[in-house]
Amino acid sequence: EKDGKYLWSIFNRGKDAPLRVSGHVPAGNYLVREAFSACELPAPGGRRFWSAPELEAGIEICARNLTPVHLLLEPEKSEKIVFTSVPVKQKEALQKFFLPLWEDLPNPRKRILWYGYTHYAPPMVPSAIKVMRDMGIAVDFMADSSFSPELKVLRGGKKIVAKLNSYDLLVIPRSRAKLGDSECKGLKAYLNQGGNILLLANHVYNMHSYYNRRMPGILKTLNAKVIDAAIEDPVNARHGEVRRFNTRNLSPHKVTDGVKIFASMGATTVGLSGGNAVLMAEDSARITGQNRAMLVLKDSGKNRIAVCGDTEWLTPEGLCLADNAKLWTNLVGWLCNVEPLPENDVRQSVSLPEF
């Protein structure tokens, strides 16, 4: 509620369903609009304004699966909110982060493939993609669920067929699809041909979030380990949220150069045979087992592999925190063997226009 106006919201996690949304409001008449479309919802009898008792009885709507419903209630005699076109500041954000996702980078220094069957596909992490583009690295989106010698990808908004071994780096965030032995057969050949891999794992936050169990084939191929749990640090928590914490526990490495603080958005611990941990949870953190590693690197001479226990730090919010942006450009630079962006440049790359 603000200034006598109300926003009622509901999120339907399930099949399309008829719902009745109701609530108590002060006596009077109200205009009800769907906040996404600004369409008015007529009151019973086709009237324009709803009475308080009618709103308490409920508004019947059909809620689509996984689609939020936002109802705006405004008193009859109030000044109504004007729904306009996209605000200038929001256009800046769209132009800076989202529009380039659908444009191929001309004459790239490197080209990477981003696994697509994930909650963290490029549109969800546009500032992370922008950092790579600013480094001269083009990003294709993987449209297949299996790693084959040839596979479908999205490049410049168009679906094409590309060779897996043509990519300098594979980025595999937490997967929504199963990545077993059959789906990962092509990874062994890719690694043998000198390919590099970044695997981003996930912390467990509810009964539906055991994503790490869906990728046994990758863990087997990389000889990596991910704990299906969550790190909690009440001492270094941000805003009282123990799973969103800061850590200064870093080891000297090109990847951690210039990084003093990492702000986790939710992490678990990871391992990689023959690898070196460069980012760890603090001693005050509660962990499962003895390993505190959150980012482990391995350079075999033929290829480079990184396993990270946090995926959500690559969101626009996460990359703006602490030294996360510098860590990201360093990590991508090390994996692709290119120079990272200077600190001031990378901070400018990920800065969000306010809107």
Side-chain angles (χ1 to χ4, degrees):
E1 185 274 337
K2 184 177 182 181
D3 299 330
K5 298 178 173 66
Y6 294 83
L7 186 67
W8 289 357
S9 299
I10 191 167
F11 187 82
N12 176 30
R13 189 182 293 274
K15 62 182 181 181
D16 294 1
L19 300 176
R20 183 184 294 272
V21 183
S22 62
H24 176 76
V25 294
N29 295 323
Y30 294 82
L31 179 69
V32 178
R33 291 185 287 173
E34 208 290 312
F36 277 146
S37 64
C39 292
E40 295 185 14
L41 277 64
R47 292 177 291 108
R48 188 181 187 199
F49 295 98
W50 294 69
S51 68
E54 288 170 339
L55 292 172
E56 193 156 358
I59 303 171
E60 293 184 353
I61 60 171
C62 181
R64 298 184 60 193
N65 179 30
L66 298 178
T67 302
V69 175
H70 300 295
L71 301 181
L72 176 63
L73 284 62
E74 301 170 285
E76 180 179 3
K77 296 183 179 180
S78 67
E79 184 178 349
K80 304 301 183 288
I81 294 175
V82 177
F83 286 81
T84 63
S85 59
V86 179
V88 173
K89 290 292 186 180
Q90 193 167 350
K91 285 183 178 178
E92 288 181 22
L94 292 170
Q95 291 167 350
K96 179 175 182 177
F97 292 129
F98 293 99
L99 292 183
L101 293 175
W102 312 111
E103 301 171 357
D104 190 29
L105 190 68
N107 303 314
R109 299 169 64 189
K110 303 282 183 175
R111 186 173 291 277
I112 73 112
L113 181 63
W114 194 286
Y115 180 72
Y117 282 75
T118 170
H119 293 96
Y120 293 90
M124 295 296 292
V125 290
S127 53
I129 304 299
K130 186 178 189 311
V131 169
M132 290 190 284
R133 289 174 64 93
D134 288 349
M135 295 171 67
I137 300 172
V139 182
D140 290 352
F141 313 168
M142 182 169 159
D144 282 342
S145 58
S146 299
F147 295 96
S148 306
E150 290 190 349
L151 67 178
K152 297 183 183 70
V153 303
L154 288 176
R155 179 180 299 175
K158 297 180 180 179
K159 187 178 287 188
I160 65 170
V161 175
K163 293 184 180 296
L164 184 62
N165 63 8
S166 67
Y167 290 99
D168 300 284
L169 171 67
L170 301 184
V171 179
I172 309 171
R174 69 183 204 193
S175 175
R176 291 189 295 118
K178 181 184 177 183
L179 290 174
D181 290 344
S182 60
E183 291 83 5
C184 297
K185 281 193 301 186
L187 288 182
K188 290 183 179 179
Y190 174 76
L191 289 170
N192 288 335
Q193 293 166 353
N196 307 302
I197 293 179
L198 168 59
L199 177 64
L200 295 152
N202 179 74
H203 69 112
V204 173
Y205 52 87
N206 62 29
M207 63 182 292
H208 301 292
S209 63
Y210 289 94
Y211 295 101
N212 305 315
R213 299 180 183 179
R214 300 179 184 178
M215 50 186 188
I218 288 184
L219 297 177
K220 180 180 177 182
T221 300
L222 300 182
N223 203 0
K225 184 176 182 181
V226 175
I227 302 298
D228 259 326
I231 302 171
E232 297 182 346
D233 190 343
V235 175
N236 297 287
R238 301 191 305 278
H239 310 298
E241 173 50 66
V242 295
R243 296 192 180 188
R244 293 195 171 196
F245 57 88
N246 293 343
T247 178
R248 295 172 172 80
N249 194 357
L250 299 113
S251 295
H253 193 279
K254 281 186 176 182
V255 169
T256 57
D257 185 35
V259 180
K260 296 180 180 178
I261 302 173
F262 174 73
S264 175
M265 296 289 285
T268 188
T269 52
V270 297
L272 179 62
S273 179
N276 297 310
V278 297
L279 174 65
M280 293 75 64
E282 300 278 5
D283 291 341
S284 56
R286 298 192 291 256
I287 61 172
T288 300
Q290 302 299 315
N291 175 32
R292 294 186 174 273
M294 297 166 58
L295 176 60
V296 183
L297 311 176
K298 179 180 179 181
D299 186 346
S300 69
K302 178 183 290 187
N303 46 41
R304 292 176 172 178
I305 299 171
V307 180
C308 181
D310 189 342
T311 299
E312 295 174 34
W313 70 289
L314 297 183
T315 60
E317 176 191 1
L319 280 184
C320 285
L321 297 174
D323 299 316
N324 290 8
K326 182 57 177 166
L327 180 66
W328 176 237
T329 189
N330 289 353
L331 179 59
V332 172
W334 179 77
L335 286 164
C336 291
N337 196 27
V338 299
E339 285 297 313
L341 295 177
E343 182 174 352
N344 289 340
D345 291 356
V346 73
R347 287 190 183 277
Q348 182 60 37
S349 286
V350 303
S351 65
L352 288 168
E354 295 292 334
F355 62 90

mmCIF file of all heavy atoms in Angstrom, residues 195-234:
data_model
loop_
_atom_site.group_PDB
_atom_site.id
_atom_site.type_symbol
_atom_site.label_atom_id
_atom_site.label_comp_id
_atom_site.label_asym_id
_atom_site.label_seq_id
_atom_site.Cartn_x
_atom_site.Cartn_y
_atom_site.Cartn_z
ATOM 1 N N GLY A 195 40.309 -27.870 -24.981
ATOM 2 C CA GLY A 195 39.217 -26.993 -24.574
ATOM 3 C C GLY A 195 39.254 -26.658 -23.090
ATOM 4 O O GLY A 195 39.818 -27.395 -22.280
ATOM 5 N N ASN A 196 38.654 -25.541 -22.730
ATOM 6 C CA ASN A 196 38.608 -25.072 -21.344
ATOM 7 C C ASN A 196 37.161 -25.062 -20.849
ATOM 8 O O ASN A 196 36.229 -24.840 -21.640
ATOM 9 C CB ASN A 196 39.199 -23.669 -21.241
ATOM 10 C CG ASN A 196 40.588 -23.588 -21.844
ATOM 11 O OD1 ASN A 196 41.502 -24.307 -21.442
ATOM 12 N ND2 ASN A 196 40.759 -22.716 -22.841
ATOM 13 N N ILE A 197 36.967 -25.268 -19.560
ATOM 14 C CA ILE A 197 35.619 -25.378 -19.003
ATOM 15 C C ILE A 197 35.508 -24.596 -17.700
ATOM 16 O O ILE A 197 36.406 -24.661 -16.848
ATOM 17 C CB ILE A 197 35.234 -26.857 -18.754
ATOM 18 C CG1 ILE A 197 35.092 -27.606 -20.090
ATOM 19 C CG2 ILE A 197 33.937 -26.959 -17.951
ATOM 20 C CD1 ILE A 197 34.733 -29.074 -19.941
ATOM 21 N N LEU A 198 34.403 -23.883 -17.559
ATOM 22 C CA LEU A 198 34.012 -23.266 -16.288
ATOM 23 C C LEU A 198 32.698 -23.901 -15.859
ATOM 24 O O LEU A 198 31.684 -23.780 -16.553
ATOM 25 C CB LEU A 198 33.834 -21.754 -16.440
ATOM 26 C CG LEU A 198 33.149 -21.032 -15.268
ATOM 27 C CD1 LEU A 198 33.918 -21.217 -13.969
ATOM 28 C CD2 LEU A 198 32.963 -19.549 -15.580
ATOM 29 N N LEU A 199 32.703 -24.570 -14.715
ATOM 30 C CA LEU A 199 31.511 -25.190 -14.154
ATOM 31 C C LEU A 199 31.063 -24.374 -12.947
ATOM 32 O O LEU A 199 31.835 -24.131 -12.022
ATOM 33 C CB LEU A 199 31.806 -26.634 -13.740
ATOM 34 C CG LEU A 199 30.656 -27.383 -13.069
ATOM 35 C CD1 LEU A 199 29.473 -27.548 -14.029
ATOM 36 C CD2 LEU A 199 31.119 -28.747 -12.563
ATOM 37 N N LEU A 200 29.807 -23.946 -12.964
ATOM 38 C CA LEU A 200 29.236 -23.142 -11.883
ATOM 39 C C LEU A 200 28.177 -23.971 -11.177
ATOM 40 O O LEU A 200 27.178 -24.385 -11.776
ATOM 41 C CB LEU A 200 28.622 -21.862 -12.445
ATOM 42 C CG LEU A 200 29.628 -20.902 -13.086
ATOM 43 C CD1 LEU A 200 28.963 -20.066 -14.165
ATOM 44 C CD2 LEU A 200 30.250 -20.008 -12.030
ATOM 45 N N ALA A 201 28.397 -24.225 -9.905
ATOM 46 C CA ALA A 201 27.490 -25.067 -9.126
ATOM 47 C C ALA A 201 26.485 -24.202 -8.371
ATOM 48 O O ALA A 201 26.395 -22.993 -8.563
ATOM 49 C CB ALA A 201 28.293 -25.959 -8.176
ATOM 50 N N ASN A 202 25.747 -24.832 -7.471
ATOM 51 C CA ASN A 202 24.603 -24.184 -6.853
ATOM 52 C C ASN A 202 24.498 -24.577 -5.386
ATOM 53 O O ASN A 202 24.764 -25.710 -5.021
ATOM 54 C CB ASN A 202 23.337 -24.633 -7.597
ATOM 55 C CG ASN A 202 22.079 -24.037 -7.017
ATOM 56 O OD1 ASN A 202 21.820 -22.868 -7.205
ATOM 57 N ND2 ASN A 202 21.295 -24.844 -6.316
ATOM 58 N N HIS A 203 24.094 -23.621 -4.564
ATOM 59 C CA HIS A 203 23.803 -23.958 -3.168
ATOM 60 C C HIS A 203 22.388 -24.496 -3.061
ATOM 61 O O HIS A 203 21.498 -24.141 -3.840
ATOM 62 C CB HIS A 203 23.967 -22.723 -2.274
ATOM 63 C CG HIS A 203 22.929 -21.662 -2.485
ATOM 64 N ND1 HIS A 203 21.986 -21.344 -1.539
ATOM 65 C CD2 HIS A 203 22.693 -20.856 -3.535
ATOM 66 C CE1 HIS A 203 21.209 -20.379 -1.995
ATOM 67 N NE2 HIS A 203 21.623 -20.057 -3.202
ATOM 68 N N VAL A 204 22.143 -25.362 -2.105
ATOM 69 C CA VAL A 204 20.817 -25.927 -1.890
ATOM 70 C C VAL A 204 20.021 -24.968 -1.026
ATOM 71 O O VAL A 204 20.438 -24.605 0.072
ATOM 72 C CB VAL A 204 20.921 -27.302 -1.208
ATOM 73 C CG1 VAL A 204 19.531 -27.814 -0.826
ATOM 74 C CG2 VAL A 204 21.611 -28.290 -2.135
ATOM 75 N N TYR A 205 18.862 -24.516 -1.530
ATOM 76 C CA TYR A 205 18.059 -23.571 -0.761
ATOM 77 C C TYR A 205 16.650 -24.061 -0.492
ATOM 78 O O TYR A 205 15.946 -23.470 0.319
ATOM 79 C CB TYR A 205 18.015 -22.199 -1.451
ATOM 80 C CG TYR A 205 17.616 -22.230 -2.895
ATOM 81 C CD1 TYR A 205 16.284 -22.182 -3.282
ATOM 82 C CD2 TYR A 205 18.594 -22.307 -3.885
ATOM 83 C CE1 TYR A 205 15.933 -22.214 -4.612
ATOM 84 C CE2 TYR A 205 18.232 -22.331 -5.226
ATOM 85 C CZ TYR A 205 16.897 -22.279 -5.584
ATOM 86 O OH TYR A 205 16.550 -22.321 -6.917
ATOM 87 N N ASN A 206 16.185 -25.102 -1.163
ATOM 88 C CA ASN A 206 14.923 -25.732 -0.794
ATOM 89 C C ASN A 206 14.892 -27.125 -1.411
ATOM 90 O O ASN A 206 15.856 -27.565 -2.045
ATOM 91 C CB ASN A 206 13.706 -24.896 -1.236
ATOM 92 C CG ASN A 206 13.628 -24.718 -2.755
ATOM 93 O OD1 ASN A 206 14.081 -25.563 -3.512
ATOM 94 N ND2 ASN A 206 13.051 -23.614 -3.190
ATOM 95 N N MET A 207 13.781 -27.824 -1.227
ATOM 96 C CA MET A 207 13.689 -29.222 -1.649
ATOM 97 C C MET A 207 13.760 -29.390 -3.163
ATOM 98 O O MET A 207 13.966 -30.498 -3.655
ATOM 99 C CB MET A 207 12.382 -29.832 -1.131
ATOM 100 C CG MET A 207 11.135 -29.183 -1.677
ATOM 101 S SD MET A 207 9.601 -29.896 -1.006
ATOM 102 C CE MET A 207 9.647 -31.524 -1.737
ATOM 103 N N HIS A 208 13.602 -28.296 -3.928
ATOM 104 C CA HIS A 208 13.626 -28.396 -5.385
ATOM 105 C C HIS A 208 14.970 -27.993 -5.976
ATOM 106 O O HIS A 208 15.102 -27.934 -7.192
ATOM 107 C CB HIS A 208 12.543 -27.485 -5.979
ATOM 108 C CG HIS A 208 11.160 -27.804 -5.506
ATOM 109 N ND1 HIS A 208 10.502 -28.961 -5.844
ATOM 110 C CD2 HIS A 208 10.314 -27.111 -4.693
ATOM 111 C CE1 HIS A 208 9.307 -28.971 -5.282
ATOM 112 N NE2 HIS A 208 9.162 -27.860 -4.576
ATOM 113 N N SER A 209 15.958 -27.694 -5.145
ATOM 114 C CA SER A 209 17.171 -27.055 -5.662
ATOM 115 C C SER A 209 18.409 -27.945 -5.668
ATOM 116 O O SER A 209 19.513 -27.439 -5.641
ATOM 117 C CB SER A 209 17.458 -25.787 -4.842
ATOM 118 O OG SER A 209 17.727 -26.122 -3.485
ATOM 119 N N TYR A 210 18.229 -29.252 -5.716
ATOM 120 C CA TYR A 210 19.390 -30.138 -5.758
ATOM 121 C C TYR A 210 19.896 -30.274 -7.202
ATOM 122 O O TYR A 210 19.966 -31.357 -7.765
ATOM 123 C CB TYR A 210 19.034 -31.509 -5.173
ATOM 124 C CG TYR A 210 18.824 -31.487 -3.687
ATOM 125 C CD1 TYR A 210 17.561 -31.323 -3.143
ATOM 126 C CD2 TYR A 210 19.911 -31.602 -2.818
ATOM 127 C CE1 TYR A 210 17.366 -31.288 -1.768
ATOM 128 C CE2 TYR A 210 19.730 -31.570 -1.441
ATOM 129 C CZ TYR A 210 18.454 -31.410 -0.924
ATOM 130 O OH TYR A 210 18.272 -31.376 0.443
ATOM 131 N N TYR A 211 20.255 -29.135 -7.800
ATOM 132 C CA TYR A 211 20.660 -29.127 -9.201
ATOM 133 C C TYR A 211 21.979 -29.853 -9.429
ATOM 134 O O TYR A 211 22.235 -30.375 -10.506
ATOM 135 C CB TYR A 211 20.775 -27.686 -9.704
ATOM 136 C CG TYR A 211 19.467 -26.952 -9.716
ATOM 137 C CD1 TYR A 211 19.144 -26.055 -8.710
ATOM 138 C CD2 TYR A 211 18.550 -27.162 -10.733
ATOM 139 C CE1 TYR A 211 17.924 -25.387 -8.717
ATOM 140 C CE2 TYR A 211 17.331 -26.500 -10.753
ATOM 141 C CZ TYR A 211 17.027 -25.622 -9.746
ATOM 142 O OH TYR A 211 15.827 -24.960 -9.740
ATOM 143 N N ASN A 212 22.843 -29.859 -8.422
ATOM 144 C CA ASN A 212 24.155 -30.467 -8.608
ATOM 145 C C ASN A 212 24.052 -31.961 -8.893
ATOM 146 O O ASN A 212 24.916 -32.542 -9.545
ATOM 147 C CB ASN A 212 25.019 -30.221 -7.374
ATOM 148 C CG ASN A 212 25.123 -28.742 -7.040
ATOM 149 O OD1 ASN A 212 25.327 -27.927 -7.932
ATOM 150 N ND2 ASN A 212 24.961 -28.384 -5.780
ATOM 151 N N ARG A 213 22.988 -32.581 -8.415
ATOM 152 C CA ARG A 213 22.804 -34.008 -8.650
ATOM 153 C C ARG A 213 22.448 -34.307 -10.106
ATOM 154 O O ARG A 213 22.466 -35.466 -10.519
ATOM 155 C CB ARG A 213 21.700 -34.544 -7.746
ATOM 156 C CG ARG A 213 22.009 -34.383 -6.257
ATOM 157 C CD ARG A 213 20.886 -34.923 -5.398
ATOM 158 N NE ARG A 213 21.156 -34.688 -3.976
ATOM 159 C CZ ARG A 213 20.340 -35.042 -2.992
ATOM 160 N NH1 ARG A 213 19.212 -35.655 -3.283
ATOM 161 N NH2 ARG A 213 20.644 -34.787 -1.740
ATOM 162 N N ARG A 214 22.103 -33.277 -10.855
ATOM 163 C CA ARG A 214 21.689 -33.478 -12.238
ATOM 164 C C ARG A 214 22.869 -33.528 -13.198
ATOM 165 O O ARG A 214 22.670 -33.669 -14.394
ATOM 166 C CB ARG A 214 20.736 -32.354 -12.669
ATOM 167 C CG ARG A 214 19.478 -32.286 -11.831
ATOM 168 C CD ARG A 214 18.584 -31.155 -12.276
ATOM 169 N NE ARG A 214 17.421 -31.018 -11.408
ATOM 170 C CZ ARG A 214 16.491 -30.090 -11.538
ATOM 171 N NH1 ARG A 214 16.590 -29.200 -12.512
ATOM 172 N NH2 ARG A 214 15.473 -30.028 -10.709
ATOM 173 N N MET A 215 24.084 -33.371 -12.710
ATOM 174 C CA MET A 215 25.223 -33.320 -13.629
ATOM 175 C C MET A 215 26.333 -34.301 -13.249
ATOM 176 O O MET A 215 27.509 -33.937 -13.202
ATOM 177 C CB MET A 215 25.777 -31.897 -13.700
ATOM 178 C CG MET A 215 26.055 -31.248 -12.360
ATOM 179 S SD MET A 215 26.533 -29.509 -12.593
ATOM 180 C CE MET A 215 27.014 -29.101 -10.897
ATOM 181 N N PRO A 216 25.974 -35.570 -13.026
ATOM 182 C CA PRO A 216 27.019 -36.546 -12.668
ATOM 183 C C PRO A 216 28.025 -36.762 -13.784
ATOM 184 O O PRO A 216 29.199 -37.053 -13.530
ATOM 185 C CB PRO A 216 26.225 -37.817 -12.366
ATOM 186 C CG PRO A 216 24.958 -37.665 -13.158
ATOM 187 C CD PRO A 216 24.643 -36.201 -13.094
ATOM 188 N N GLY A 217 27.581 -36.621 -15.036
ATOM 189 C CA GLY A 217 28.500 -36.839 -16.158
ATOM 190 C C GLY A 217 29.610 -35.809 -16.194
ATOM 191 O O GLY A 217 30.778 -36.142 -16.460
ATOM 192 N N ILE A 218 29.284 -34.551 -15.927
ATOM 193 C CA ILE A 218 30.311 -33.497 -15.926
ATOM 194 C C ILE A 218 31.263 -33.687 -14.752
ATOM 195 O O ILE A 218 32.486 -33.572 -14.905
ATOM 196 C CB ILE A 218 29.653 -32.110 -15.860
ATOM 197 C CG1 ILE A 218 29.000 -31.791 -17.196
ATOM 198 C CG2 ILE A 218 30.664 -31.030 -15.523
ATOM 199 C CD1 ILE A 218 28.400 -30.419 -17.270
ATOM 200 N N LEU A 219 30.711 -33.961 -13.579
ATOM 201 C CA LEU A 219 31.566 -34.148 -12.402
ATOM 202 C C LEU A 219 32.530 -35.314 -12.615
ATOM 203 O O LEU A 219 33.705 -35.232 -12.236
ATOM 204 C CB LEU A 219 30.703 -34.384 -11.164
ATOM 205 C CG LEU A 219 29.790 -33.220 -10.757
ATOM 206 C CD1 LEU A 219 28.928 -33.607 -9.554
ATOM 207 C CD2 LEU A 219 30.600 -31.972 -10.441
ATOM 208 N N LYS A 220 32.041 -36.367 -13.254
ATOM 209 C CA LYS A 220 32.889 -37.530 -13.543
ATOM 210 C C LYS A 220 33.961 -37.181 -14.563
ATOM 211 O O LYS A 220 35.141 -37.533 -14.402
ATOM 212 C CB LYS A 220 32.023 -38.679 -14.042
ATOM 213 C CG LYS A 220 32.783 -39.946 -14.379
ATOM 214 C CD LYS A 220 31.821 -41.022 -14.854
ATOM 215 C CE LYS A 220 32.559 -42.279 -15.273
ATOM 216 N NZ LYS A 220 31.586 -43.316 -15.783
ATOM 217 N N THR A 221 33.583 -36.464 -15.608
ATOM 218 C CA THR A 221 34.529 -36.091 -16.661
ATOM 219 C C THR A 221 35.633 -35.187 -16.127
ATOM 220 O O THR A 221 36.811 -35.342 -16.473
ATOM 221 C CB THR A 221 33.797 -35.387 -17.817
ATOM 222 O OG1 THR A 221 32.811 -36.274 -18.362
ATOM 223 C CG2 THR A 221 34.767 -34.978 -18.914
ATOM 224 N N LEU A 222 35.258 -34.236 -15.276
ATOM 225 C CA LEU A 222 36.233 -33.287 -14.735
ATOM 226 C C LEU A 222 36.931 -33.803 -13.492
ATOM 227 O O LEU A 222 37.896 -33.189 -13.027
ATOM 228 C CB LEU A 222 35.532 -31.962 -14.398
ATOM 229 C CG LEU A 222 34.833 -31.226 -15.536
ATOM 230 C CD1 LEU A 222 34.238 -29.923 -15.021
ATOM 231 C CD2 LEU A 222 35.796 -30.958 -16.677
ATOM 232 N N ASN A 223 36.439 -34.917 -12.956
ATOM 233 C CA ASN A 223 36.937 -35.433 -11.668
ATOM 234 C C ASN A 223 36.758 -34.348 -10.595
ATOM 235 O O ASN A 223 37.680 -34.015 -9.849
ATOM 236 C CB ASN A 223 38.399 -35.857 -11.764
ATOM 237 C CG ASN A 223 38.780 -36.869 -10.685
ATOM 238 O OD1 ASN A 223 37.928 -37.255 -9.866
ATOM 239 N ND2 ASN A 223 40.037 -37.269 -10.662
ATOM 240 N N ALA A 224 35.542 -33.799 -10.582
ATOM 241 C CA ALA A 224 35.212 -32.715 -9.665
ATOM 242 C C ALA A 224 34.180 -33.190 -8.649
ATOM 243 O O ALA A 224 33.529 -34.224 -8.821
ATOM 244 C CB ALA A 224 34.667 -31.513 -10.439
ATOM 245 N N LYS A 225 34.026 -32.403 -7.597
ATOM 246 C CA LYS A 225 33.068 -32.736 -6.545
ATOM 247 C C LYS A 225 32.340 -31.465 -6.124
ATOM 248 O O LYS A 225 32.954 -30.418 -5.944
ATOM 249 C CB LYS A 225 33.782 -33.352 -5.339
ATOM 250 C CG LYS A 225 32.835 -33.818 -4.235
ATOM 251 C CD LYS A 225 33.606 -34.503 -3.117
ATOM 252 C CE LYS A 225 32.662 -35.024 -2.039
ATOM 253 N NZ LYS A 225 33.421 -35.683 -0.929
ATOM 254 N N VAL A 226 31.033 -31.584 -5.987
ATOM 255 C CA VAL A 226 30.209 -30.474 -5.510
ATOM 256 C C VAL A 226 29.330 -30.984 -4.383
ATOM 257 O O VAL A 226 28.672 -32.019 -4.531
ATOM 258 C CB VAL A 226 29.329 -29.902 -6.647
ATOM 259 C CG1 VAL A 226 28.400 -28.824 -6.104
ATOM 260 C CG2 VAL A 226 30.190 -29.335 -7.762
ATOM 261 N N ILE A 227 29.331 -30.292 -3.269
ATOM 262 C CA ILE A 227 28.531 -30.696 -2.119
ATOM 263 C C ILE A 227 27.117 -30.125 -2.263
ATOM 264 O O ILE A 227 26.935 -28.928 -2.461
ATOM 265 C CB ILE A 227 29.162 -30.200 -0.803
ATOM 266 C CG1 ILE A 227 30.587 -30.753 -0.655
ATOM 267 C CG2 ILE A 227 28.312 -30.604 0.393
ATOM 268 C CD1 ILE A 227 30.665 -32.259 -0.579
ATOM 269 N N ASP A 228 26.107 -30.994 -2.166
ATOM 270 C CA ASP A 228 24.720 -30.535 -2.203
ATOM 271 C C ASP A 228 24.346 -30.002 -0.832
ATOM 272 O O ASP A 228 23.715 -30.676 -0.014
ATOM 273 C CB ASP A 228 23.787 -31.669 -2.616
ATOM 274 C CG ASP A 228 23.377 -31.571 -4.072
ATOM 275 O OD1 ASP A 228 23.232 -30.441 -4.560
ATOM 276 O OD2 ASP A 228 23.208 -32.614 -4.723
ATOM 277 N N ALA A 229 24.757 -28.775 -0.579
ATOM 278 C CA ALA A 229 24.513 -28.137 0.713
ATOM 279 C C ALA A 229 24.618 -26.631 0.509
ATOM 280 O O ALA A 229 24.575 -26.140 -0.630
ATOM 281 C CB ALA A 229 25.525 -28.628 1.755
ATOM 282 N N ALA A 230 24.758 -25.890 1.591
ATOM 283 C CA ALA A 230 24.881 -24.434 1.499
ATOM 284 C C ALA A 230 25.821 -23.936 2.585
ATOM 285 O O ALA A 230 25.785 -24.412 3.723
ATOM 286 C CB ALA A 230 23.517 -23.767 1.643
ATOM 287 N N ILE A 231 26.677 -22.990 2.226
ATOM 288 C CA ILE A 231 27.553 -22.339 3.196
ATOM 289 C C ILE A 231 26.757 -21.245 3.901
ATOM 290 O O ILE A 231 26.054 -20.465 3.258
ATOM 291 C CB ILE A 231 28.779 -21.720 2.500
ATOM 292 C CG1 ILE A 231 29.572 -22.795 1.733
ATOM 293 C CG2 ILE A 231 29.670 -21.007 3.506
ATOM 294 C CD1 ILE A 231 30.657 -22.226 0.840
ATOM 295 N N GLU A 232 26.889 -21.180 5.217
ATOM 296 C CA GLU A 232 26.241 -20.126 6.008
ATOM 297 C C GLU A 232 27.288 -19.476 6.899
ATOM 298 O O GLU A 232 28.047 -20.165 7.578
ATOM 299 C CB GLU A 232 25.102 -20.697 6.851
ATOM 300 C CG GLU A 232 23.974 -21.282 6.018
ATOM 301 C CD GLU A 232 22.824 -21.799 6.864
ATOM 302 O OE1 GLU A 232 23.009 -21.948 8.096
ATOM 303 O OE2 GLU A 232 21.747 -22.056 6.293
ATOM 304 N N ASP A 233 27.329 -18.153 6.872
ATOM 305 C CA ASP A 233 28.322 -17.424 7.660
ATOM 306 C C ASP A 233 27.636 -16.278 8.403
ATOM 307 O O ASP A 233 27.501 -15.169 7.878
ATOM 308 C CB ASP A 233 29.424 -16.875 6.748
ATOM 309 C CG ASP A 233 30.609 -16.322 7.544
ATOM 310 O OD1 ASP A 233 30.437 -16.071 8.753
ATOM 311 O OD2 ASP A 233 31.681 -16.135 6.948
ATOM 312 N N PRO A 234 27.216 -16.514 9.651
ATOM 313 C CA PRO A 234 26.520 -15.459 10.404
ATOM 314 C C PRO A 234 27.419 -14.280 10.753
ATOM 315 O O PRO A 234 26.933 -13.163 10.932
ATOM 316 C CB PRO A 234 26.041 -16.188 11.660
ATOM 317 C CG PRO A 234 26.932 -17.383 11.785
ATOM 318 C CD PRO A 234 27.288 -17.780 10.395
#
